[in-house]
Structures are given as C-alpha cells and as structure tokens.
Amino acid sequence: MHSFNYHIPTEIVFGKDTELQTGKLIRKYGGSRVLIVYGGGRVVRSGLLDRVCKVLEEEGLAYEKLGGVHPNPYLHFAIEGVKKSIEFGADFILAVGGGSAIDTAKYIAHGTANPDIDITRFWTRELKVTKTMPVGVILTISAAGSEMSDSAVLTNVETGVKRGLSTVYNRPTFSILNPELTYTLPRYQIACGVVDIMMHTLDRYFCPAPHNHLSDEMAEALLRTTIYNGPIALENSKDYDAMSELMWCGSISHNGLTGLGNKTDFAPHQLGHELSARFDVAHGASLSAIWPAWARHVYKSDVSRFARYAANVWGIRGSNEEAAAIAGIHATEEFFESLGMPINFTTLGVGLQGEADLRDMAYCCSYKSTRTIGAFQVLTEEDMYQIYKAANC
Ligand code: NZQ
Ligand code: ZN
C-alpha cells in the first residue's frame, strides 16, 4: 500500500428536505453574505432557488444570485463571477446544481479570497492556491462528485483547453444531498451520471500494482451498486432508494476513498476532456465513448487486473484470464449501450474524424506534446492517437 494523507472536511447532510437547512449551515460556517451560483435556469423553474433564498432570508443572510453557468463550464464566466463576488462583498459561495455550478463556485471562491490574482494563473497551475473561502453545495445531479472532491474543471474557450485543478482547497465546506432534487433529471443526464460515477471508480481501480485490497473491494462494491441501481433510476427517476444509492455512490466515487493506497490513472478522463472541449459533449458521454478503446489498448499491461474486474464486478469467469479480461470490457461496453450512452465517435454524435483531426486531438490532449497521461499504462501522444483512432468508428 502506498502512503497517503486523507482529509475530507466536507459535512454531508443527506436526505429529504435537507436544503431547508442551508441557511443554518452557512451561519455555522461563518457566512453572512452569500453568492449563489447556478446553471441554466432549471433551478429557477423548479422553484428550488426560491426555496433556498427564503431560508437564507429567514436566517438573515444577504445574498446575490449568479445564474448562467454553462455545462462544461467556462473559465471566463468564473472570472466574471469573481468580479461580482468581490463587488458584493461575498464571504460565502453557494453552488446549486451539478459539477458545472460547483466547479465554477470553487474558482469564484479562490478568486474572491485572492482578489489580486487572476484565477487563470491557478487554472494553468502557474500559481498554487494557498487560501480560499467556504463553498457550500446543494446537489441536483449525481455524477461529477464535485460535492466532495478536491477537483474543479473549467474550459478556456480562447485556447480550447478543458482542464482540472486538484487542491485541498477545492473540498466544499458542506454538501446537501437530497435525492428528491434529482427526480427531474432527464434520462440522458442520469445515464451520463452513472457512467461518470463508474469512471471515477475505474480510473482509480485500473492502476499499477501493488494494489490495496480494501480499496479494491470498496471500488468493486461501488461499481456493482451503481450498475444495479442505474437501470432502476432510468426506469423511474422518482425511485427514492435508487436515486439515493446513486447520489451517495457519486460522492464516494470521487472523494478519494476508492483509490486510497493506490496510484490513480485518470487517462480516460483526460482523453474525454479533449472531446468535451472540442465538441462540447456531456462529460459522461465523452467517457463512455472513449473507455472501450482505452481498455482494449491497455489491458495487456495487466491482464489479471482486468480479469479480476470481470469476475468481481460482472461475475464473468472466462476460460483463461485474457478471455475474461476481454469479456469484462465487452460487458462494460454493452452496459453503456443499454443506458443509451455512446461507445464510439459515431454514437457520440460527432461523426467520423479525419486523420489530421485525430492527430490534433492527441496533440492537444498531450498539451502540445509536453505530457504523458495515465499510470496503469503511461500513454504517449502516439498512444492517445491510437486510442482516438480506435474510437473513431
Ligand atoms: O444548467 P442547469 O440548469 O443546472 O442544468 C443541468 C445541465 O444542463 C442539468 N441538471 C442538473 N441537475 C438537474 C438538471 N436537469 C434536471 N433536473 C436536475 N435535477 O444537467 C445538465 C448537466 O449539469 P452539469 O452540472 O454540467 O453536470 P455534471 O454534474 O455531470 O457536471 C459536469 C461537469 O463537471 C466536471 C465535468 O468535466 C463537467 O465539466 N467534472 C468535475 C469533477 C470535479 N470537480 O471533481 C470531476 C468530474 O470527473 C468531471 O470532470
Ligand atoms: Zn468525471
């Protein structure tokens, strides 16, 4: 087992009507002037925003609203948010929504706490975040896991680069998880979430040996739980138990727990970010479209690991390890398809790409030939190209 530090400061408040506790929680963590960050207006239409504003008023908290966060959120929007937050004198940022609203809120918090620094310099990692201000979350979609994660992902539309920043300062102060708030999700977003939850787990599970037995067992249990409940949720988005399981799986999948003691890989996420930056496709869809090609490209690095995955997650025991490994990849692909998720570029809806475009994707994903990605198998720019090419069908 590798050495690790594990500190999760996020208070989780789970259950029905828990958003009514928002005002008290903000008070508890010292907030008095709150910037509320949300997305495309759905929380306005559903009445959730009004309910939240009311409980803030009851608690005597001043607030300002900032709507309009785009899915696959933009760096320039967060920069505008920082200005608004500073003008208002915010001392607490509240995200209402999914990963896009939460990640924007995290950056706004960093910018507000560091008014002399352009947050672009954090985004490029030129500067490290050394202080921030508290961020609270009311989660409305089980997917990105940002409600407990140390990560925030923004796209710079000027450069066309989507990238994540990991820092302990990205962990929210509290997150409110009311599964009923996810009842309004369209099927497609539920399916995207199921894929993302699985991928946060798989991107940790497929890592170089030595492996940590306990983390592996937890990862496999989380995957089985998600695979079991995903189709139930798709069938009936008002199934409280299924939506609860997905919500908690989403948080645990990306709070670091399932990868403790192991190295993480996250190459599929990096390959997928390039697809989202280029085609503005949903994050979950970018992952299911690339994972089968990634898995077939790398499984020989550790066939036993893929065979274990097939056995413990899918109940597949092949005639030999290689057959089992391949069958496990196939089962994953079929599951994604059964959710209505893409498994290649055609089903992703971006069409077949030309040779020059595939090369350019690899070039961009490798940050202009300056980085490798992954740890299960370290991928060079040529590997990235081969994977994009394999998905190009
Ligand atoms: O824009 P709104 O109105 O909020 O609508 C959203 C959006 O259109 C909608 N939605 C959310 N809750 C809903 C709902 N529609 C109906 N009913 C509800 N209850 O769903 C759409 C997607 O929302 P978004 O916030 O973009 O989804 P998600 O949580 O999947 O976040 C995706 C973003 O998070 C990043 C992704 O790359 C992507 O940019 N990630 C962030 C991570 C992190 N910070 O730790 C890790 C992830 O791997 C991921 O990279
Ligand atoms: Zn993800």
Side-chain angles (χ1 to χ4, degrees):
M1 196 185 295
H2 293 284
S3 308
F4 59 82
N5 278 23
Y6 191 52
H7 177 63
I8 300 290
T10 310
E11 178 173 351
I12 296 296
V13 184
F14 190 103
K16 295 181 183 180
D17 295 330
T18 42
E19 67 276 14
L20 301 178
Q21 299 177 37
T22 310
K24 291 208 168 5
L25 283 162
I26 292 173
R27 273 271 179 242
K28 174 175 167 181
Y29 291 105
S32 59
R33 298 183 67 78
V34 185
L35 183 73
I36 308 173
V37 180
Y38 59 97
R42 183 198 42 76
V43 294
V44 180
R45 292 190 295 280
S46 70
L48 173 61
L49 192 64
D50 277 350
R51 282 208 305 286
V52 171
C53 289
K54 191 159 170 272
V55 293
L56 264 53
E57 284 159 21
E58 283 166 5
E59 201 58 39
L61 298 165
Y63 62 85
E64 186 75 56
K65 294 183 249 181
L66 175 66
V69 175
H70 185 269
N72 295 321
Y74 302 140
L75 174 63
H76 67 81
F77 186 90
I79 292 172
E80 286 304 311
V82 171
K83 278 189 204 145
K84 182 160 182 162
S85 175
I86 292 172
E87 274 164 26
F88 172 61
D91 56 14
F92 199 99
I93 314 294
L94 177 68
V96 185
S100 297
I102 303 168
D103 290 359
T104 304
K106 288 177 178 180
Y107 265 97
I108 292 175
H110 303 334
T112 310
N114 299 276
D116 300 328
I117 297 175
D118 176 354
I119 54 170
T120 308
R121 299 174 77 194
F122 295 137
W123 184 82
T124 57
R125 300 179 198 178
E126 180 196 334
L127 290 181
K128 278 194 170 170
V129 182
T130 55
K131 62 176 176 192
T132 191
M133 69 166 50
V135 171
V137 171
I138 300 176
L139 187 66
T140 65
I141 172 170
S142 309
S146 184
E147 66 275 10
M148 283 188 93
S149 83
D150 67 356
S151 172
V153 187
L154 294 182
T155 299
N156 183 338
V157 286
E158 275 173 31
T159 57
V161 175
K162 179 176 184 182
R163 73 188 293 176
L165 172 76
S166 292
T167 160
V168 292
Y169 296 99
N170 274 335
R171 302 264 193 209
T173 302
F174 68 77
S175 287
I176 289 175
L177 274 54
N178 175 358
E180 287 187 334
L181 298 181
T182 66
Y183 282 2
T184 50
L185 280 167
R187 281 177 66 90
Y188 183 67
Q189 288 298 340
I190 295 174
C192 283
V194 168
V195 171
D196 200 14
I197 293 166
M198 288 176 68
M199 291 303 309
H200 293 148
T201 318
L202 293 174
D203 276 0
R204 291 178 167 88
Y205 185 83
F206 288 110
C207 56
H211 302 125
N212 171 358
H213 194 146
L214 176 61
S215 294
D216 289 347
E217 295 279 345
M218 287 193 292
E220 289 159 358
L222 196 153
L223 287 162
R224 289 194 304 269
T225 306
T226 306
I227 291 163
Y228 177 77
N229 285 286
I232 298 173
L234 277 190
E235 199 58 43
N236 176 15
S237 70
K238 295 185 174 53
D239 183 314
Y240 185 78
D241 290 332
M243 297 311 259
S244 300
E245 297 288 349
L246 288 185
M247 197 164 229
W248 191 223
C249 280
S251 300
I252 298 294
S253 78
H254 204 34
N255 74 1
L257 190 65
T258 66
L260 289 182
N262 294 335
K263 282 191 171 164
T264 61
D265 180 84
F266 277 89
H269 263 76
Q270 300 304 324
L271 292 159
H273 283 342
E274 176 52 29
L275 298 178
S276 284
R278 194 167 282 250
F279 304 112
D280 201 18
V281 291
H283 174 60
S286 76
L287 298 173
S288 63
I290 207 68
W291 192 83
W294 171 84
R296 292 191 174 100
H297 187 83
V298 303
Y299 80 92
K300 287 199 170 139
S301 293
D302 188 347
V303 175
S304 301
R305 189 70 169 166
F306 269 89
R308 177 185 163 138
Y309 164 67
N312 293 359
V313 175
W314 296 104
I316 295 168
R317 282 171 182 79
S319 49
N320 59 58
E321 279 200 329
E322 174 133 14
I326 290 169
I329 295 170
H330 189 62
T332 312
E333 194 173 44
E334 281 194 327
F335 180 69
F336 289 161
E337 275 188 299
S338 75
L339 299 175
M341 294 305 289
I343 53 162
N344 52 39
F345 287 176
T346 304
T347 45
L348 184 61
V350 302
L352 291 182
Q353 303 298 302
E355 177 67 13
D357 289 321
L358 295 172
R359 288 276 174 205
D360 191 53
M361 282 181 205
Y363 178 66
C364 292
C365 187
S366 68
Y367 291 171
K368 302 183 182 171
S369 315
T370 60
R371 69 161 182 173
T372 56
I373 58 172
F376 180 78
Q377 181 183 318
V378 176
L379 301 179
T380 63
E381 186 180 341
E382 178 61 23
D383 290 308
M384 298 173 208
Y385 161 74
Q386 293 294 345
I387 293 168
Y388 284 131
K389 191 173 166 188
N392 192 35
C393 53

